[in-house]
């Protein structure tokens, strides 16, 4: 029979793999930035916010703060490294106010986490107290990310997308792959936290799990109608040449009545 610790380790490893995929999801954006040598209108805020989140969880996973959290530590070390690369690329290809803002936020993240680490390690001498302080900060900053102006816009956008999906009965613009990945990630880390109960890991991942379940339900409800709408749109894109009126002055071009051409589509 599999022990609870073994099961927790297996779930954590799976969670590491899935979370790593989510960390790499912005890669196409930075490939575009690299090719165009410009950040265009992209914002640095999502990346410095994720960086702060990863660094706090990395601190939480340290053995001197919260023992037996190796898998929390490993994935957030990886996430920290990836997000630092994103921020550095943003700094390289930005200029003026955008670069100054990115620098301020980046060094603000580093300074904040350094101060928290120093205070926790110097003034709190037990694992329980250190876990409590850092865990509360992790949960607070997850909530602040939802309540901050940009994050409120993101949450509003989330509900607007859901409303649009319900009204149009189409999930075309809500990628199934991302919804599935988010669901699996939230599920793995929620199970991981519940096997050996950890409130601070349970809260953010439980919320993420609820959001992703909502998306998957919408996919199940509107999958067929989405396929039908896409098919109907393709049919509308076909224009019968019998509907094309040819100017009488063009004597060399008789009206062709039996063929159809497909209207050009935007592949960008």
């Amino acid at each position: 029979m599999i022990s609870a610790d073994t099961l927790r380790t297996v779930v954590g490893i799976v969670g590491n793999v899935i979370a790593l995929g989510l960390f790499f999801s912005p890669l196409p954006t930075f490939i575009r930035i690299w090719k165009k040598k410009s950040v265009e209108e992209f914002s640095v805020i999502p990346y410095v916010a994720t960086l702060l989140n990863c660094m706090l969880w990395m601190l939480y996973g340290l053995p001197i703060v919260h023992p037996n959290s190796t898998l929390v530590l490993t994935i957030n070390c990886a996430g920290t490294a990836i997000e630092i690369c994103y921020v550095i690329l943003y700094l390289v290809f930005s200029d003026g106010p955008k670069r100054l803002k990115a620098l301020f936020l980046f060094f603000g993240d580093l300074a904040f986490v350094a101060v928290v680490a120093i205070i926790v390690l110097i003034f709190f001498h037990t694992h329980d107290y250190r876990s409590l302080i850092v865990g509360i900060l992790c949960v607070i900053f997850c909530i602040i990310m939802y309540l901050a102006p940009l994050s409120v816009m993101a949450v509003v956008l989330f509900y607007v997308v859901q409303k649009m999906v319900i009204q149009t009965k189409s999930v075309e613009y809500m990628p199934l792959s991302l919804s599935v990945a988010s669901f699996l990630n939230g599920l793995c880390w929620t199970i991981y936290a519940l096997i050996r109960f950890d409130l601070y890991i349970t809260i953010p991942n439980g919320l993420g799990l609820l959001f992703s379940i909502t998306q998957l339900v919408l996919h199940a409800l509107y999958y067929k109608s989405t396929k039908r709408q896409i098919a109907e749109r393709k049919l509308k894109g076909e224009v019968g040449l019998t509907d094309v009126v040819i100017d009488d002055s063009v004597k060399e071009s008789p009206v062709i009545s039996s063929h159809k051409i497909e209207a050009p589509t935007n592949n960008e």
Side-chain angles (χ1 to χ4, degrees):
M1 184 175 179
I2 300 177
S3 67
D5 286 341
T6 302
L7 179 60
R8 190 172 189 258
T9 300
V10 171
V11 172
I13 291 172
V14 174
N16 269 239
V17 173
I18 296 171
L20 194 62
L22 290 175
F23 283 134
F24 278 118
S25 62
L27 198 55
T29 296
F30 282 91
I31 291 175
R32 172 176 171 173
I33 289 173
W34 179 277
K35 289 180 178 179
K36 295 197 172 185
K37 309 299 181 186
S38 171
V39 298
E40 301 176 283
E41 297 304 315
F42 291 110
S43 172
V44 74
I45 291 178
Y47 311 107
V48 291
T50 305
L51 174 61
L52 177 59
N53 188 56
C54 286
M55 288 193 296
L56 283 173
W57 283 111
M58 184 174 65
L59 179 61
Y60 180 82
L62 291 174
I64 56 176
V65 176
H66 192 79
N68 303 314
S69 298
T70 303
L71 292 171
V72 174
L73 179 62
T74 54
I75 188 56
N76 284 288
C77 284
T80 297
I82 293 168
E83 297 302 325
I84 286 176
C85 290
Y86 290 155
V87 174
I88 289 175
L89 282 171
Y90 191 96
L91 288 169
V92 169
F93 295 112
S94 61
D95 53 22
K98 287 185 177 181
R99 178 175 289 176
L100 289 175
K101 180 179 179 180
L103 280 170
F104 175 78
L105 292 173
F106 178 51
F107 285 110
D109 280 0
L110 298 178
F112 178 78
V113 175
V115 169
V116 170
I118 291 170
I119 291 174
V120 167
L121 297 178
I122 292 178
F123 296 102
F124 298 92
H125 303 292
T126 66
H127 291 143
D128 288 341
Y129 280 119
R130 289 173 177 176
S131 298
L132 176 66
I133 300 302
V134 180
I136 288 174
L137 286 174
C138 287
V139 173
I140 287 174
F141 275 91
C142 283
I143 294 173
I144 287 176
M145 286 176 63
Y146 281 111
L147 297 180
L150 181 69
S151 298
V152 168
M153 290 172 62
V155 173
V156 170
L157 179 59
F158 173 84
Y159 284 109
V160 167
V161 170
Q162 312 306 317
K163 184 178 180 181
M164 180 186 71
V165 167
I166 293 171
Q167 288 179 342
T168 62
K169 296 184 178 180
S170 172
V171 290
E172 182 178 359
Y173 299 106
M174 189 167 66
L176 178 60
S177 58
L178 187 58
S179 297
V180 171
S182 298
F183 169 76
L184 293 175
N185 184 66
L187 180 63
C188 282
W189 288 108
T190 300
I191 293 173
Y192 177 89
L194 291 175
I195 291 174
R196 181 180 289 171
F197 187 67
D198 189 320
L199 179 65
Y200 311 113
I201 298 178
T202 302
I203 291 174
N205 287 287
L207 290 173
L209 183 60
L210 289 176
F211 280 128
S212 59
I213 288 174
T214 302
Q215 293 182 350
L216 291 176
V217 168
L218 290 173
H219 273 286
L221 289 174
Y222 299 128
Y223 174 79
K224 290 184 178 179
S225 60
T226 301
K227 291 292 186 182
R228 184 173 63 252
Q229 289 180 36
I230 293 174
E232 289 174 353
R233 191 165 63 247
K234 287 182 178 179
L235 286 175
K236 289 180 181 178
E238 295 182 349
V239 181
L241 287 187
T242 51
D243 297 328
V244 177
V245 178
I246 305 297
D247 193 323
D248 289 339
S249 62
V250 185
K251 302 297 184 183
E252 299 85 358
S253 303
V255 176
I256 302 173
S257 60
S258 59
H259 299 283
K260 293 182 178 180
I261 60 172
E262 186 173 289
T265 58
N266 187 354
N267 291 322
E268 295 181 1

